[in-house]
Amino acid sequence: MAETDHLSATSLRDQILHLELLRNAARQLNSTLDLDSLLEQIVTEVAETFGCSRSAVLLIDEETNELELVAVRGWTKQVHPKGFRFAIGREGLVGKTAATGKTSYVPDVRRDPDYIVSEESTRSELDIPLKVRGKLIGIFNAQHPEVDAFPEAQRSTLEALADHMATAIENARLYQAEKNVKEALERDSNQARQMQQTLLPKQAMRMESFSIAGACVPIRAVGGDWFDYFSLEDGRIGIALGDVSGKGMSAALLMAASRSSLRQDAKRHRSPASVLTALNETLRSDFPQGNFVTLIYAVLDAAASVLTIAAAGHPSPLLVTNTSAAVMEIPNGVPLGLMEWHFEELACPLNPGSAVLLYSDGVSEAPNLEGEEFSVERIRELCRRADISPQLLIDEACRFAAPGPMSDDATAVLIQNLD
């Protein structure tokens, strides 16, 4: 009776030990989402803990219906190196196991015709299916140089461990897939940003005594804000600052379409008002319903020192002189793309030392952590600085919003008569 009690106590201790090892192994398997590191853990520390002198993980390639050897440990020869493939149902004990979906244990591989020699000293082999929600994703393979080296208790423990292996592998694969998608999106966004940046003027433009400069900072990789200045006939310069509704890639596409259409209309129509009227009709026809553009378009006649401005739902520009920075009272129509509209314009003399600042609402409405907006008044105060520039203005708005992010794209254009 005492001997029976002793054996029962020993068996209980062994069960507790196996459960503790299983729990620790499961914790270890769930400690990483890097697939390569996880597979290496399975065939090294984890397999070794459970008495597997040789171990491997094979994953199913659904396109080829093959098992690929993705991790291996304990082989002295490279008969089946990492990357080797077995046809499911046709090659080796692992192929047979994958076909049946059931654990296969061969106490002496010399007696099994399905065994393919990968290590001459191997005598026993255990192949356990790796399944996630009933779907086979691979095989855990264990081999040993002794005959019948995997007793039933060890096989049961390893089968329980295989469930944790399969879940950990699937989680790592899903994480890797999501990471790959994210990286691809980031690459696409960066490329889109670079392409969008090519549509913006690279440097300031000079014409006689006038300087025109702009800056744009999107809150995402790409955005809907844009600015442009370009030469027209008779020595005039077209100047635009627009803000497309929405954010991200869709806004960037509409921004590019708006810019292209504006340049075409600017060649066909002389006055800013007629350009906006024509562009509005184009966008009403081409834009998706509900999308619109706020825009200021101006034409600078440098010879006459006159800036003619038309606006479509955009914040009014500031007229900066030596003594003040005042909001310009210009006719302001509806945003482009919403409804039929006849736009008007205002001609403004630009005397020596004066300037006109165009900006998007992403600058004036930039909020700080308390919800207070940067405001037109702060913009007016900055305009009194001798070193005022579009980039300085946007930098100050970003600094005001810090440490929080800007809530919208920020763009500004400064037209100066430097005489």
Side-chain angles (χ1 to χ4, degrees):
M1 183 70 177
E3 184 177 351
T4 303
D5 291 343
H6 175 72
L7 290 174
S8 298
T10 301
S11 176
L12 180 59
R13 283 196 299 271
D14 288 344
Q15 291 180 30
I16 293 173
L17 177 61
H18 280 146
L19 288 173
E20 184 65 21
L21 290 174
L22 187 61
R23 187 179 70 174
N24 291 338
R27 186 184 301 116
Q28 184 177 353
L29 290 171
N30 290 319
S31 66
T32 179
L33 286 172
D34 180 82
L35 183 58
D36 290 337
S37 298
L38 173 64
L39 293 171
E40 190 63 24
Q41 279 186 0
I42 290 174
V43 297
T44 52
E45 300 107 62
V46 174
E48 190 174 283
T49 299
F50 290 87
C52 303
S53 59
R54 295 169 186 154
S55 57
V57 175
L58 303 95
L59 297 180
I60 290 179
D61 184 337
E62 294 183 351
E63 292 185 1
T64 63
N65 197 37
E66 294 176 323
L67 286 166
E68 180 185 359
L69 190 60
V70 295
V72 61
R73 172 190 172 272
W75 269 253
T76 60
K77 297 182 179 180
Q78 292 295 310
V79 177
H80 296 144
K82 185 176 178 180
F84 191 88
R85 290 170 175 258
F86 296 85
I88 293 176
R90 299 200 306 273
E91 294 180 345
L93 295 176
V94 289
K96 178 181 177 181
T97 302
T100 63
K102 297 180 180 179
T103 297
S104 170
Y105 176 51
V106 179
D108 189 343
V109 296
R110 294 172 298 182
R111 299 177 181 272
D112 196 310
D114 291 318
Y115 177 68
I116 298 176
V117 177
S118 59
E119 188 74 14
E120 292 179 356
S121 62
T122 291
R123 291 295 177 263
S124 50
E125 178 172 330
L126 175 65
D127 295 301
I128 304 175
L130 300 174
K131 295 182 179 181
V132 176
R133 294 181 292 277
K135 180 182 178 181
L136 184 72
I137 66 167
I139 300 292
F140 173 70
N141 168 269
Q143 300 182 22
H144 201 280
E146 297 178 5
V147 173
D148 199 12
F150 299 99
E152 184 177 354
Q154 186 182 18
R155 297 199 303 270
S156 297
T157 302
L158 286 171
E159 284 187 295
L161 179 62
D163 289 337
H164 295 288
M165 291 181 190
T167 300
I169 289 171
E170 186 67 7
N171 289 339
R173 292 168 84 175
L174 290 172
Y175 172 78
Q176 186 64 50
E178 291 177 1
K179 182 180 177 182
N180 291 342
V181 169
K182 182 179 179 181
E183 289 175 349
L185 288 174
E186 288 178 352
R187 286 194 299 271
D188 289 345
S189 294
N190 289 334
Q191 290 174 359
R193 180 186 180 92
Q194 292 173 7
M195 291 181 64
Q196 188 175 37
Q197 290 297 314
T198 64
L199 299 178
L200 303 178
K202 302 297 184 297
Q203 57 190 11
M205 188 175 188
R206 293 294 300 267
M207 176 67 72
E208 298 186 14
S209 63
F210 286 89
S211 171
I212 307 163
C216 178
V217 176
I219 59 170
R220 300 181 182 177
V222 292
D225 271 20
W226 56 285
F227 70 93
D228 200 7
Y229 33 82
F230 47 90
S231 298
L232 296 169
E233 62 181 13
D234 303 330
R236 297 175 304 130
I237 299 172
I239 305 163
L241 191 155
D243 183 357
V244 178
S245 61
K247 295 178 176 64
M249 195 67 70
S250 61
L253 291 172
L254 296 178
M255 164 262 174
S258 301
R259 173 189 177 276
S260 176
S261 295
L262 172 67
R263 284 200 166 205
Q264 292 177 18
D265 289 330
K267 294 177 181 178
R268 293 194 293 262
H269 303 278
R270 185 174 180 82
S271 71
S274 60
V275 169
L276 290 193
T277 300
L279 181 58
N280 184 49
E281 290 305 307
T282 300
L283 299 186
R284 285 181 62 209
S285 301
D286 296 347
F287 260 34
Q289 188 174 5
N291 290 95
F292 59 87
V293 180
T294 67
L295 179 69
I296 283 188
Y297 176 61
V299 173
L300 175 64
D301 186 338
S305 297
V306 173
L307 186 71
T308 305
I309 307 175
H314 202 83
S316 295
L318 298 179
L319 176 61
V320 182
T321 65
N322 292 328
T323 59
S324 67
V327 177
M328 298 180 68
E329 299 295 334
I330 62 173
N332 208 336
V334 298
L336 303 174
L338 293 179
M339 64 180 70
E340 184 178 356
W341 197 265
H342 180 72
F343 293 89
E344 302 177 56
E345 61 190 40
L346 174 72
C348 172
L350 277 185
N351 299 319
S354 62
V356 169
L357 176 70
L358 316 179
Y359 59 90
S360 66
D361 57 11
V363 179
S364 59
E365 297 177 5
N368 61 15
L369 292 181
E370 287 72 41
E372 181 186 6
E373 293 184 350
F374 188 61
S375 78
V376 175
E377 285 306 310
R378 286 188 173 86
I379 296 175
R380 292 176 63 187
E381 291 176 9
L382 284 171
C383 285
R384 296 188 179 97
R385 289 178 50 167
D387 60 344
I388 183 61
S389 70
Q391 191 62 56
L392 172 66
L393 176 63
I394 294 174
D395 288 345
E396 289 297 324
C398 291
R399 190 173 294 111
F400 176 82
M406 297 285 282
S407 60
D408 198 0
D409 303 337
T411 308
V413 173
L414 185 64
I415 307 154
Q416 295 175 289
N417 188 340
L418 300 175
D419 271 357

mmCIF file with all atom_site columns, all heavy atoms in Angstrom, residues 384-400:
data_model
loop_
_atom_site.group_PDB
_atom_site.id
_atom_site.type_symbol
_atom_site.label_atom_id
_atom_site.label_alt_id
_atom_site.label_comp_id
_atom_site.label_asym_id
_atom_site.label_entity_id
_atom_site.label_seq_id
_atom_site.pdbx_PDB_ins_code
_atom_site.Cartn_x
_atom_site.Cartn_y
_atom_site.Cartn_z
_atom_site.occupancy
_atom_site.B_iso_or_equiv
_atom_site.pdbx_formal_charge
_atom_site.auth_seq_id
_atom_site.auth_comp_id
_atom_site.auth_asym_id
_atom_site.auth_atom_id
_atom_site.pdbx_PDB_model_num
ATOM 1   N N   . ARG A 1 384 ? 3.514  92.205 -38.334 1.00 0.00 ? 384 ARG A N   1
ATOM 2   C CA  . ARG A 1 384 ? 4.242  93.444 -38.046 1.00 0.00 ? 384 ARG A CA  1
ATOM 3   C C   . ARG A 1 384 ? 5.737  93.189 -37.867 1.00 0.00 ? 384 ARG A C   1
ATOM 4   O O   . ARG A 1 384 ? 6.514  94.141 -37.794 1.00 0.00 ? 384 ARG A O   1
ATOM 5   C CB  . ARG A 1 384 ? 3.666  94.105 -36.791 1.00 0.00 ? 384 ARG A CB  1
ATOM 6   C CG  . ARG A 1 384 ? 2.197  94.545 -36.962 1.00 0.00 ? 384 ARG A CG  1
ATOM 7   C CD  . ARG A 1 384 ? 1.720  95.366 -35.756 1.00 0.00 ? 384 ARG A CD  1
ATOM 8   N NE  . ARG A 1 384 ? 0.351  95.804 -35.929 1.00 0.00 ? 384 ARG A NE  1
ATOM 9   C CZ  . ARG A 1 384 ? -0.706 95.179 -35.423 1.00 0.00 ? 384 ARG A CZ  1
ATOM 10  N NH1 . ARG A 1 384 ? -0.526 94.073 -34.710 1.00 0.00 ? 384 ARG A NH1 1
ATOM 11  N NH2 . ARG A 1 384 ? -1.926 95.632 -35.609 1.00 0.00 ? 384 ARG A NH2 1
ATOM 12  N N   . ARG A 1 385 ? 6.141  91.916 -37.813 1.00 0.00 ? 385 ARG A N   1
ATOM 13  C CA  . ARG A 1 385 ? 7.554  91.603 -37.677 1.00 0.00 ? 385 ARG A CA  1
ATOM 14  C C   . ARG A 1 385 ? 8.263  91.795 -39.010 1.00 0.00 ? 385 ARG A C   1
ATOM 15  O O   . ARG A 1 385 ? 7.739  91.455 -40.082 1.00 0.00 ? 385 ARG A O   1
ATOM 16  C CB  . ARG A 1 385 ? 7.731  90.165 -37.198 1.00 0.00 ? 385 ARG A CB  1
ATOM 17  C CG  . ARG A 1 385 ? 7.334  89.959 -35.760 1.00 0.00 ? 385 ARG A CG  1
ATOM 18  C CD  . ARG A 1 385 ? 7.457  88.517 -35.310 1.00 0.00 ? 385 ARG A CD  1
ATOM 19  N NE  . ARG A 1 385 ? 8.745  87.892 -35.616 1.00 0.00 ? 385 ARG A NE  1
ATOM 20  C CZ  . ARG A 1 385 ? 9.159  86.738 -35.108 1.00 0.00 ? 385 ARG A CZ  1
ATOM 21  N NH1 . ARG A 1 385 ? 8.379  86.086 -34.257 1.00 0.00 ? 385 ARG A NH1 1
ATOM 22  N NH2 . ARG A 1 385 ? 10.327 86.243 -35.447 1.00 0.00 ? 385 ARG A NH2 1
ATOM 23  N N   . ALA A 1 386 ? 9.474  92.288 -38.953 1.00 0.00 ? 386 ALA A N   1
ATOM 24  C CA  . ALA A 1 386 ? 10.235 92.541 -40.176 1.00 0.00 ? 386 ALA A CA  1
ATOM 25  C C   . ALA A 1 386 ? 10.609 91.245 -40.884 1.00 0.00 ? 386 ALA A C   1
ATOM 26  O O   . ALA A 1 386 ? 10.795 91.229 -42.100 1.00 0.00 ? 386 ALA A O   1
ATOM 27  C CB  . ALA A 1 386 ? 11.490 93.351 -39.837 1.00 0.00 ? 386 ALA A CB  1
ATOM 28  N N   . ASP A 1 387 ? 10.716 90.143 -40.109 1.00 0.00 ? 387 ASP A N   1
ATOM 29  C CA  . ASP A 1 387 ? 11.139 88.875 -40.712 1.00 0.00 ? 387 ASP A CA  1
ATOM 30  C C   . ASP A 1 387 ? 9.962  87.945 -41.029 1.00 0.00 ? 387 ASP A C   1
ATOM 31  O O   . ASP A 1 387 ? 10.141 86.738 -41.196 1.00 0.00 ? 387 ASP A O   1
ATOM 32  C CB  . ASP A 1 387 ? 12.110 88.152 -39.787 1.00 0.00 ? 387 ASP A CB  1
ATOM 33  C CG  . ASP A 1 387 ? 11.488 87.830 -38.425 1.00 0.00 ? 387 ASP A CG  1
ATOM 34  O OD1 . ASP A 1 387 ? 10.427 88.423 -38.104 1.00 0.00 ? 387 ASP A OD1 1
ATOM 35  O OD2 . ASP A 1 387 ? 12.053 86.994 -37.697 1.00 0.00 ? 387 ASP A OD2 1
ATOM 36  N N   . ILE A 1 388 ? 8.754  88.507 -41.135 1.00 0.00 ? 388 ILE A N   1
ATOM 37  C CA  . ILE A 1 388 ? 7.592  87.679 -41.400 1.00 0.00 ? 388 ILE A CA  1
ATOM 38  C C   . ILE A 1 388 ? 7.757  86.903 -42.714 1.00 0.00 ? 388 ILE A C   1
ATOM 39  O O   . ILE A 1 388 ? 8.264  87.431 -43.713 1.00 0.00 ? 388 ILE A O   1
ATOM 40  C CB  . ILE A 1 388 ? 6.300  88.536 -41.450 1.00 0.00 ? 388 ILE A CB  1
ATOM 41  C CG1 . ILE A 1 388 ? 5.055  87.648 -41.651 1.00 0.00 ? 388 ILE A CG1 1
ATOM 42  C CG2 . ILE A 1 388 ? 6.399  89.588 -42.536 1.00 0.00 ? 388 ILE A CG2 1
ATOM 43  C CD1 . ILE A 1 388 ? 4.824  86.652 -40.578 1.00 0.00 ? 388 ILE A CD1 1
ATOM 44  N N   . SER A 1 389 ? 7.370  85.645 -42.674 1.00 0.00 ? 389 SER A N   1
ATOM 45  C CA  . SER A 1 389 ? 7.414  84.779 -43.855 1.00 0.00 ? 389 SER A CA  1
ATOM 46  C C   . SER A 1 389 ? 6.345  83.714 -43.684 1.00 0.00 ? 389 SER A C   1
ATOM 47  O O   . SER A 1 389 ? 5.873  83.467 -42.561 1.00 0.00 ? 389 SER A O   1
ATOM 48  C CB  . SER A 1 389 ? 8.792  84.124 -44.010 1.00 0.00 ? 389 SER A CB  1
ATOM 49  O OG  . SER A 1 389 ? 8.992  83.167 -42.980 1.00 0.00 ? 389 SER A OG  1
ATOM 50  N N   . PRO A 1 390 ? 5.930  83.052 -44.766 1.00 0.00 ? 390 PRO A N   1
ATOM 51  C CA  . PRO A 1 390 ? 4.942  81.976 -44.622 1.00 0.00 ? 390 PRO A CA  1
ATOM 52  C C   . PRO A 1 390 ? 5.397  80.879 -43.672 1.00 0.00 ? 390 PRO A C   1
ATOM 53  O O   . PRO A 1 390 ? 4.614  80.384 -42.852 1.00 0.00 ? 390 PRO A O   1
ATOM 54  C CB  . PRO A 1 390 ? 4.797  81.463 -46.056 1.00 0.00 ? 390 PRO A CB  1
ATOM 55  C CG  . PRO A 1 390 ? 5.106  82.634 -46.914 1.00 0.00 ? 390 PRO A CG  1
ATOM 56  C CD  . PRO A 1 390 ? 6.193  83.348 -46.193 1.00 0.00 ? 390 PRO A CD  1
ATOM 57  N N   . GLN A 1 391 ? 6.660  80.471 -43.756 1.00 0.00 ? 391 GLN A N   1
ATOM 58  C CA  . GLN A 1 391 ? 7.142  79.404 -42.887 1.00 0.00 ? 391 GLN A CA  1
ATOM 59  C C   . GLN A 1 391 ? 7.162  79.842 -41.435 1.00 0.00 ? 391 GLN A C   1
ATOM 60  O O   . GLN A 1 391 ? 6.821  79.055 -40.524 1.00 0.00 ? 391 GLN A O   1
ATOM 61  C CB  . GLN A 1 391 ? 8.541  78.965 -43.316 1.00 0.00 ? 391 GLN A CB  1
ATOM 62  C CG  . GLN A 1 391 ? 9.005  77.681 -42.624 1.00 0.00 ? 391 GLN A CG  1
ATOM 63  C CD  . GLN A 1 391 ? 8.120  76.496 -42.941 1.00 0.00 ? 391 GLN A CD  1
ATOM 64  O OE1 . GLN A 1 391 ? 7.908  76.153 -44.096 1.00 0.00 ? 391 GLN A OE1 1
ATOM 65  N NE2 . GLN A 1 391 ? 7.561  75.871 -41.906 1.00 0.00 ? 391 GLN A NE2 1
ATOM 66  N N   . LEU A 1 392 ? 7.565  81.094 -41.174 1.00 0.00 ? 392 LEU A N   1
ATOM 67  C CA  . LEU A 1 392 ? 7.561  81.614 -39.809 1.00 0.00 ? 392 LEU A CA  1
ATOM 68  C C   . LEU A 1 392 ? 6.154  81.595 -39.239 1.00 0.00 ? 392 LEU A C   1
ATOM 69  O O   . LEU A 1 392 ? 5.937  81.194 -38.082 1.00 0.00 ? 392 LEU A O   1
ATOM 70  C CB  . LEU A 1 392 ? 8.122  83.039 -39.787 1.00 0.00 ? 392 LEU A CB  1
ATOM 71  C CG  . LEU A 1 392 ? 7.994  83.783 -38.451 1.00 0.00 ? 392 LEU A CG  1
ATOM 72  C CD1 . LEU A 1 392 ? 8.860  83.120 -37.392 1.00 0.00 ? 392 LEU A CD1 1
ATOM 73  C CD2 . LEU A 1 392 ? 8.353  85.249 -38.607 1.00 0.00 ? 392 LEU A CD2 1
ATOM 74  N N   . LEU A 1 393 ? 5.183  82.016 -40.035 1.00 0.00 ? 393 LEU A N   1
ATOM 75  C CA  . LEU A 1 393 ? 3.795  82.039 -39.587 1.00 0.00 ? 393 LEU A CA  1
ATOM 76  C C   . LEU A 1 393 ? 3.322  80.637 -39.202 1.00 0.00 ? 393 LEU A C   1
ATOM 77  O O   . LEU A 1 393 ? 2.720  80.434 -38.144 1.00 0.00 ? 393 LEU A O   1
ATOM 78  C CB  . LEU A 1 393 ? 2.907  82.611 -40.697 1.00 0.00 ? 393 LEU A CB  1
ATOM 79  C CG  . LEU A 1 393 ? 1.397  82.611 -40.434 1.00 0.00 ? 393 LEU A CG  1
ATOM 80  C CD1 . LEU A 1 393 ? 1.058  83.480 -39.239 1.00 0.00 ? 393 LEU A CD1 1
ATOM 81  C CD2 . LEU A 1 393 ? 0.643  83.076 -41.672 1.00 0.00 ? 393 LEU A CD2 1
ATOM 82  N N   . ILE A 1 394 ? 3.596  79.645 -40.056 1.00 0.00 ? 394 ILE A N   1
ATOM 83  C CA  . ILE A 1 394 ? 3.162  78.275 -39.776 1.00 0.00 ? 394 ILE A CA  1
ATOM 84  C C   . ILE A 1 394 ? 3.899  77.704 -38.573 1.00 0.00 ? 394 ILE A C   1
ATOM 85  O O   . ILE A 1 394 ? 3.309  77.022 -37.724 1.00 0.00 ? 394 ILE A O   1
ATOM 86  C CB  . ILE A 1 394 ? 3.372  77.389 -41.022 1.00 0.00 ? 394 ILE A CB  1
ATOM 87  C CG1 . ILE A 1 394 ? 2.449  77.851 -42.149 1.00 0.00 ? 394 ILE A CG1 1
ATOM 88  C CG2 . ILE A 1 394 ? 3.126  75.924 -40.688 1.00 0.00 ? 394 ILE A CG2 1
ATOM 89  C CD1 . ILE A 1 394 ? 2.673  77.152 -43.468 1.00 0.00 ? 394 ILE A CD1 1
ATOM 90  N N   . ASP A 1 395 ? 5.189  78.016 -38.448 1.00 0.00 ? 395 ASP A N   1
ATOM 91  C CA  . ASP A 1 395 ? 5.965  77.549 -37.297 1.00 0.00 ? 395 ASP A CA  1
ATOM 92  C C   . ASP A 1 395 ? 5.384  78.086 -35.993 1.00 0.00 ? 395 ASP A C   1
ATOM 93  O O   . ASP A 1 395 ? 5.304  77.365 -34.987 1.00 0.00 ? 395 ASP A O   1
ATOM 94  C CB  . ASP A 1 395 ? 7.428  77.979 -37.423 1.00 0.00 ? 395 ASP A CB  1
ATOM 95  C CG  . ASP A 1 395 ? 8.172  77.210 -38.500 1.00 0.00 ? 395 ASP A CG  1
ATOM 96  O OD1 . ASP A 1 395 ? 7.656  76.162 -38.954 1.00 0.00 ? 395 ASP A OD1 1
ATOM 97  O OD2 . ASP A 1 395 ? 9.261  77.669 -38.904 1.00 0.00 ? 395 ASP A OD2 1
ATOM 98  N N   . GLU A 1 396 ? 4.978  79.351 -36.002 1.00 0.00 ? 396 GLU A N   1
ATOM 99  C CA  . GLU A 1 396 ? 4.402  79.951 -34.801 1.00 0.00 ? 396 GLU A CA  1
ATOM 100 C C   . GLU A 1 396 ? 3.056  79.312 -34.463 1.00 0.00 ? 396 GLU A C   1
ATOM 101 O O   . GLU A 1 396 ? 2.737  79.102 -33.286 1.00 0.00 ? 396 GLU A O   1
ATOM 102 C CB  . GLU A 1 396 ? 4.247  81.456 -34.986 1.00 0.00 ? 396 GLU A CB  1
ATOM 103 C CG  . GLU A 1 396 ? 5.558  82.227 -34.980 1.00 0.00 ? 396 GLU A CG  1
ATOM 104 C CD  . GLU A 1 396 ? 6.281  82.113 -33.649 1.00 0.00 ? 396 GLU A CD  1
ATOM 105 O OE1 . GLU A 1 396 ? 5.604  82.073 -32.604 1.00 0.00 ? 396 GLU A OE1 1
ATOM 106 O OE2 . GLU A 1 396 ? 7.525  82.058 -33.669 1.00 0.00 ? 396 GLU A OE2 1
ATOM 107 N N   . ALA A 1 397 ? 2.270  78.984 -35.480 1.00 0.00 ? 397 ALA A N   1
ATOM 108 C CA  . ALA A 1 397 ? 0.988  78.315 -35.245 1.00 0.00 ? 397 ALA A CA  1
ATOM 109 C C   . ALA A 1 397 ? 1.211  76.920 -34.668 1.00 0.00 ? 397 ALA A C   1
ATOM 110 O O   . ALA A 1 397 ? 0.497  76.492 -33.748 1.00 0.00 ? 397 ALA A O   1
ATOM 111 C CB  . ALA A 1 397 ? 0.185  78.236 -36.541 1.00 0.00 ? 397 ALA A CB  1
ATOM 112 N N   . CYS A 1 398 ? 2.204  76.201 -35.186 1.00 0.00 ? 398 CYS A N   1
ATOM 113 C CA  . CYS A 1 398 ? 2.533  74.877 -34.662 1.00 0.00 ? 398 CYS A CA  1
ATOM 114 C C   . CYS A 1 398 ? 3.034  74.964 -33.225 1.00 0.00 ? 398 CYS A C   1
ATOM 115 O O   . CYS A 1 398 ? 2.690  74.125 -32.381 1.00 0.00 ? 398 CYS A O   1
ATOM 116 C CB  . CYS A 1 398 ? 3.593  74.212 -35.537 1.00 0.00 ? 398 CYS A CB  1
ATOM 117 S SG  . CYS A 1 398 ? 3.037  73.736 -37.193 1.00 0.00 ? 398 CYS A SG  1
ATOM 118 N N   . ARG A 1 399 ? 3.838  75.979 -32.947 1.00 0.00 ? 399 ARG A N   1
ATOM 119 C CA  . ARG A 1 399 ? 4.346  76.170 -31.595 1.00 0.00 ? 399 ARG A CA  1
ATOM 120 C C   . ARG A 1 399 ? 3.208  76.488 -30.630 1.00 0.00 ? 399 ARG A C   1
ATOM 121 O O   . ARG A 1 399 ? 3.191  76.027 -29.483 1.00 0.00 ? 399 ARG A O   1
ATOM 122 C CB  . ARG A 1 399 ? 5.379  77.304 -31.587 1.00 0.00 ? 399 ARG A CB  1
ATOM 123 C CG  . ARG A 1 399 ? 6.151  77.428 -30.286 1.00 0.00 ? 399 ARG A CG  1
ATOM 124 C CD  . ARG A 1 399 ? 7.271  78.458 -30.385 1.00 0.00 ? 399 ARG A CD  1
ATOM 125 N NE  . ARG A 1 399 ? 8.302  78.024 -31.319 1.00 0.00 ? 399 ARG A NE  1
ATOM 126 C CZ  . ARG A 1 399 ? 8.538  78.590 -32.493 1.00 0.00 ? 399 ARG A CZ  1
ATOM 127 N NH1 . ARG A 1 399 ? 7.815  79.625 -32.902 1.00 0.00 ? 399 ARG A NH1 1
ATOM 128 N NH2 . ARG A 1 399 ? 9.490  78.141 -33.270 1.00 0.00 ? 399 ARG A NH2 1
ATOM 129 N N   . PHE A 1 400 ? 2.225  77.244 -31.101 1.00 0.00 ? 400 PHE A N   1
ATOM 130 C CA  . PHE A 1 400 ? 1.067  77.581 -30.287 1.00 0.00 ? 400 PHE A CA  1
ATOM 131 C C   . PHE A 1 400 ? 0.262  76.322 -29.950 1.00 0.00 ? 400 PHE A C   1
ATOM 132 O O   . PHE A 1 400 ? -0.239 76.166 -28.832 1.00 0.00 ? 400 PHE A O   1
ATOM 133 C CB  . PHE A 1 400 ? 0.180  78.585 -31.047 1.00 0.00 ? 400 PHE A CB  1
ATOM 134 C CG  . PHE A 1 400 ? -1.095 78.952 -30.353 1.00 0.00 ? 400 PHE A CG  1
ATOM 135 C CD1 . PHE A 1 400 ? -1.108 79.918 -29.363 1.00 0.00 ? 400 PHE A CD1 1
ATOM 136 C CD2 . PHE A 1 400 ? -2.296 78.329 -30.697 1.00 0.00 ? 400 PHE A CD2 1
ATOM 137 C CE1 . PHE A 1 400 ? -2.298 80.261 -28.729 1.00 0.00 ? 400 PHE A CE1 1
ATOM 138 C CE2 . PHE A 1 400 ? -3.483 78.669 -30.083 1.00 0.00 ? 400 PHE A CE2 1
ATOM 139 C CZ  . PHE A 1 400 ? -3.481 79.642 -29.085 1.00 0.00 ? 400 PHE A CZ  1
#
